[in-house]
Amino acid sequence: MDTSRVIPALAAVAPAAWTGIAATTLIELADPADPQAVLTRIRGAAATEGPLTVALVGQLQRDRKQGQIHLALARTAPATVRYTGLPWAWLVQTLQQRRPHTTTVYADLIADAEVWQLLHDQPLSFGNVPAYGVISPPPGRRRTAQPRYAHALAQVLRSGHRPGDEELHHEVLRRVDIAEGALFLGAMPPAAPVNVPLPPSNPAPGPVPAVPAPLPQQARRAASPVHMPSEAVVPVEADPHERIAAASKAGRHDEAAELAAAAERHAVQTYGADTFASVHWVEVRAFLATVAQDPSTSCRLWLQAAETRLDVLQQAPDAHDVETSVDRAHHQWLQLRDASAARAFAPRLVALRRRVPGRQPGALESIRKTLERLTTPPAQ
C-alpha cells in the first residue's frame, strides 16, 4: 500500500479532531521498522487516561510458520514477517487493557492473499475495541493499493466537522470508491443515494443539456443551515439544495446562483474558506453555471474547486472528486467561444491536466490543438 501521500494528510489533522477534546497529543509512526519500538509507542499511548484514537494504514501479512497475522512494517517481506512485522495479537491485547468506551480504531488495510483467505472464514479481531474502516483484497501483481479510506478520513476531520464515530465512518464511505469485495469494519454503509444525471465529464465537446439536470450527487453532501440577511427576499432554509434545484430546472438561473452563493458564504463563515464545506458550494455554483450555459463562469469555478482540492485540501490527483472537477473544467473550457477567455484559462487547465491526466488519453493534446486553432490566423 502506498502510504506516502496520505501521511501528510493525516498529520495535518488538528490533534483535537481525532479525539474531540482540546488537550490531545498526536503520535505519528511513519514507515516504522522495529516491531518492539512500535509496541512501546502503542503501550505508551494506551496508558493514557483520556480517549484514544488509533489510525492504522498498511498491509496485513501472514506468518506462514505459525499462521499468525502481522501488520507489515517498513522492512517486512513475506519471508521475514515473523520478525519484522507487528503481530496483530500484540496490538489487540494492548488496546483491550484500556477502559471500555475510551478507544476507537480507524483502519485502512489491505490483506495479502493468505490473510484474505483467512478473513473469509474468520473476521479480523479487534477484541472489545470499536473499529471502523475497510480491509481490501490484494491489489494484484505489481500493483499498489491507495489508502482512499484514510485519505477521506483526513479530509473530513480537516473540514472542522467532527461527527460521532459511526457517522464519521459513513461520511468517509460516501466520499470514496471502495475496492470491489472489500470487507467493512463497523457498521455497513447506508444505502447509496439515487444516481442523477450529470453534465458530461469527458473532455470531448458536447451539447449543454437543454433542460437543467438535478444537482450532482456531491452537491447533497455537507448540507448546513443557510442564514440569510433579514432584508433578503429568499427565506431561510435548513437545506437549500431542493430550492436551488427547482429554481435551476425552472430556468431561474440568477435565483439559483444567489442561493448557492449565500450557502457558500455561510459555509465560509462557519467552517472557514478552502474547506470541504465551502468547496462543495463552489462546485454547486459551477454546475449551475453549466446549466445556465455560462461556460466561462463554470470553467473558472471548476478550476477553483480542483485547485483547492489538490493544493489546500491535499486530495490525491486520482481522487474521484478531483478528477471530476478537472474533467468538467476541461469540458467547459472547450465550450468557450471567446478566444481571449480560453487563452486566459489555458495555463491553469494545462497545469491541472499535467497533475490530473484523467481516465481518457489525450487530454493535454486536446488542449494543445485547441490553442493552436485559436492562435492560428484564418487562411486568406
Side-chain angles (χ1 to χ4, degrees):
M1 177 175 282
D2 178 14
T3 61
S4 60
R5 288 189 298 187
V6 79
I7 287 173
L10 292 170
V13 174
W18 288 108
T19 61
I21 62 173
T24 299
T25 298
L26 178 66
I27 300 174
E28 176 186 345
L29 303 178
D31 293 329
D34 182 0
Q36 291 290 347
V38 173
L39 180 62
T40 298
R41 301 305 296 269
I42 292 173
R43 284 175 173 169
T48 60
E49 290 297 324
L52 173 66
T53 301
V54 180
L56 300 171
V57 184
Q59 184 183 33
L60 299 173
Q61 293 188 4
R62 184 173 181 238
D63 168 19
R64 294 175 180 174
K65 186 173 182 179
Q66 295 187 339
Q68 301 300 313
I69 294 176
H70 290 62
L71 181 65
L73 302 182
R75 301 194 183 113
T76 301
T80 65
V81 63
R82 183 180 176 188
Y83 309 102
T84 60
L86 177 70
W88 189 257
W90 290 7
L91 173 67
V92 174
Q93 290 168 4
T94 301
L95 298 181
Q96 280 192 129
Q97 296 172 11
R98 289 177 49 80
R99 289 185 296 109
H101 313 299
T102 62
T103 309
T104 306
V105 173
Y106 288 96
D108 190 344
L109 304 168
I110 62 166
D112 70 8
E114 295 188 25
V115 172
W116 188 247
Q117 187 64 39
L118 287 175
L119 295 180
H120 281 82
D121 300 324
Q122 181 178 354
L124 187 66
S125 172
F126 287 83
N128 58 5
V129 177
Y132 303 91
V134 293
I135 304 176
S136 301
R141 295 189 62 183
R142 299 183 180 180
R143 296 189 63 185
T144 302
Q146 298 298 324
R148 302 181 191 278
Y149 181 94
H151 217 296
L153 175 65
Q155 293 166 6
V156 175
L157 291 174
R158 289 177 63 191
S159 71
H161 177 52
R162 180 54 166 99
D165 293 331
E166 187 169 314
E167 183 184 349
L168 174 59
H169 171 62
H170 287 167
E171 175 63 24
V172 171
L173 290 177
R174 283 193 289 268
R175 293 172 177 260
V176 292
D177 295 323
I178 302 299
E180 183 176 356
L183 304 175
F184 293 96
L185 304 174
M188 290 294 290
V194 178
N195 290 327
V196 296
L198 297 175
S201 60
N202 59 9
V208 175
V211 178
L215 289 176
Q217 178 177 329
Q218 65 264 29
R220 300 184 180 275
R221 302 178 185 152
S224 57
V226 180
H227 301 288
M228 303 289 288
S230 58
E231 67 272 18
V233 295
V234 181
V236 174
E237 299 178 55
D239 182 353
H241 289 99
E242 294 301 328
R243 184 179 176 87
I244 292 171
S248 177
K249 189 172 183 178
R252 301 193 304 273
H253 303 303
D254 290 343
E255 178 186 338
E258 178 52 37
L259 278 167
E264 182 186 356
R265 290 193 295 271
H266 173 73
V268 170
Q269 293 169 0
T270 305
Y271 303 108
D274 297 332
T275 59
F276 281 98
S278 61
V279 78
H280 157 73
W281 289 108
V282 173
E283 292 173 341
V284 173
R285 291 172 56 212
F287 180 81
L288 294 172
T290 300
V291 174
Q293 301 188 33
D294 182 356
S296 180
T297 298
S298 184
C299 179
R300 174 177 57 79
L301 292 171
W302 283 122
L303 289 172
Q304 177 185 337
E307 291 163 347
T308 300
R309 288 187 176 279
L310 280 168
D311 299 330
V312 181
L313 301 177
Q314 296 292 302
Q315 288 189 265
D318 62 348
H320 174 74
D321 288 339
V322 173
E323 288 189 337
T324 298
S325 295
V326 177
D327 285 348
R328 291 180 179 174
H330 193 160
H331 176 74
Q332 290 302 298
W333 183 78
L334 290 169
Q335 310 307 308
L336 293 171
R337 296 295 175 261
D338 183 345
S340 61
R343 286 192 292 268
F345 287 135
R348 294 170 65 188
L349 181 59
V350 168
L352 284 170
R353 271 297 179 212
R354 285 174 176 161
R355 301 167 66 185
V356 188
R359 304 301 174 92
Q360 298 188 19
L364 269 173
E365 181 64 14
S366 76
I367 299 175
R368 185 187 64 79
K369 290 182 177 179
T370 301
L371 286 173
E372 286 181 353
R373 177 174 52 81
L374 292 174
T375 55
T376 301
Q380 298 296 327

